[in-house]
Amino acid sequence: MSVVTVGETMAALAPDHVGPLRYTRTMGLSVAGSESTVAIGVRRLGHPAAWIGRIGDDELGALVEMRLRGEGIEVYARRDPDAPTGLMLKERRAAGVRRVHYYRRDSAGSRLSAADLPDGVVESAEVLHVSGITFALGDSAAETARVAIARARDSGVTVSLDLNHRRGLWTDADAVAALDPLLSEVDVLFASADEARLFASGTAADLATALRSKGPGTVVVTLGAEGAVSASAEGALRVPAVPVTEIDPVGAGDSFAAGYLSGLLRGDPEDARLRRATAVAAIAVSTHGDWEGLPTAAELDTVDGRDIT
Ligand code: CKP
Ligand code: MG
């Protein structure tokens, strides 16, 4: 297995038009979850991928399993008879203004436990990818992610972490307290500039360098339309974003991580990983949905008809 991810995947409802959710008449049903988006992203780029999580024994759980399996993801998800699959509502409040609303407290996914980690799956991966969201879901889910990281490290598996701070789930102080001790355990760290500022200050390059001093071999700070900056053994690098018309920014960071990890798996040098990551993110944000627009390897060659590689 190239990439194994661990986290919560929810059902997701998104409105067909712009305006307050209370006036929305029709919504599309899909699934959403940072870690499974990364799995789908790397899978579309040709790398075997697995997702470990927990779902309810309900229709939404069946939807999550069906969608992920349909994308070619190996799914390891226990059906919890005592808790529902989580739900996320997306709101297009006004043009360019999006909000997400979670219905995930006490969800099956938040009850993920270390016993849900199947023997040998994390251990045989090339990369384990986790995100800060799992640490915010509760003690059991956080412990599961910690155990997965420990097993990966013991087996020489590259550990990738996206800080993915969610103020709707926990406070800044709680996020820093939980995530700071992990930084010495990870090989690749992804953070938006806002997330990086929880830990350091200064320019994007300062942020990446400061976070790298806490342990990760590579730190990538994503800057949206401004591209990304990385600090690694190859020094500080900056790449511009691919200019596109943004349709839906949710999932941008996960798409970026998928593109980067694909480059890592291919053995690309750091600047090529970053360019691959920005290209994947550009295609993903110029389509509706968190993951639906993720490109295949062949589609990566063009965005809006332009050569982007
Ligand atoms: O940081 P991103 O916009 O890439 O993350 C989006 C994902 O998992 C989205 O899929 C959503 O379900 C979530 O983050 C979340 O739990 O907020
Ligand atoms: Mg993110």
Side-chain angles (χ1 to χ4, degrees):
M1 190 55 59
S2 298
V3 177
V4 172
T5 63
V6 180
E8 178 172 31
T9 298
M10 302 166 282
L13 282 167
D16 289 338
H17 60 264
V18 175
L21 206 46
R22 70 190 69 177
Y23 300 114
T24 297
R25 289 178 302 277
T26 54
M27 298 181 89
L29 179 62
S30 184
V31 303
S34 169
E35 302 80 8
S36 56
T37 295
V38 173
I40 294 170
V42 296
R43 183 73 200 102
R44 289 206 183 158
L45 294 171
H47 314 278
W51 171 74
I52 302 169
R54 196 191 273 215
I55 47 182
D57 192 11
D58 49 21
E59 278 300 304
L60 298 183
L63 169 74
V64 168
E65 187 166 359
M66 186 179 82
R67 284 290 169 92
L68 298 186
R69 285 200 200 283
E71 291 296 321
I73 306 301
E74 222 167 87
V75 174
Y76 297 93
R78 185 170 141 199
R79 289 288 188 95
D80 191 329
D82 301 317
T85 303
L87 175 67
M88 181 179 103
L89 303 185
K90 277 172 131 177
E91 180 178 31
R92 296 161 72 192
R93 180 63 187 79
V97 181
R98 274 166 196 279
R99 296 200 292 215
V100 297
H101 307 276
Y102 295 136
Y103 297 83
R104 68 196 299 184
R105 192 184 300 274
D106 300 324
S107 65
S110 70
R111 288 154 53 109
L112 186 68
S113 86
D116 295 334
L117 296 171
D119 283 345
V121 173
V122 168
E123 292 84 341
S124 60
E126 288 180 68
V127 176
L128 168 73
H129 178 80
V130 293
S131 100
I133 295 169
T134 308
F135 294 86
L137 296 178
D139 292 345
S140 180
E143 179 58 16
T144 308
R146 273 189 212 100
V147 169
I149 290 173
R151 287 201 204 165
R153 285 173 62 81
D154 286 348
S155 307
V157 175
T158 298
V159 177
S160 162
L161 170 72
D162 184 335
L163 288 181
N164 260 351
H165 182 41
R166 296 289 180 268
R167 292 202 165 89
L169 296 178
W170 58 352
T171 63
D172 292 4
D174 285 346
V176 170
L179 299 176
D180 196 275
L182 288 179
L183 298 179
S184 57
E185 312 276 308
V186 308
D187 301 296
V188 182
L189 179 74
F190 299 99
S192 68
D194 279 353
E195 289 163 350
R197 276 191 212 100
L198 293 171
F199 297 86
S201 57
T203 64
D206 295 339
L207 294 170
T209 305
L211 279 168
R212 186 166 184 261
S213 72
K214 290 174 177 278
T218 302
V219 176
V220 184
V221 175
T222 55
L223 305 167
E226 305 298 313
V229 165
S230 108
S232 71
E234 296 176 37
L237 285 171
R238 183 171 193 131
V239 291
V242 178
V244 285
T245 303
E246 182 183 285
I247 302 284
D248 183 354
V250 181
D254 304 326
S255 313
F256 183 99
Y260 183 94
L261 294 178
S262 168
L264 180 152
L265 291 164
R266 282 160 34 119
D268 290 350
E270 182 67 11
D271 65 332
R273 294 179 195 180
L274 295 171
R275 277 188 281 111
R276 193 168 180 80
T278 51
V280 173
I283 296 175
V285 301
S286 42
T287 48
H288 285 288
D290 295 9
W291 54 269
E292 286 85 339
L294 282 163
T296 62
E299 287 168 344
L300 242 197
D301 291 342
T302 54
V303 173
D304 292 341
R306 279 169 285 150
D307 187 351
I308 55 162
T309 54

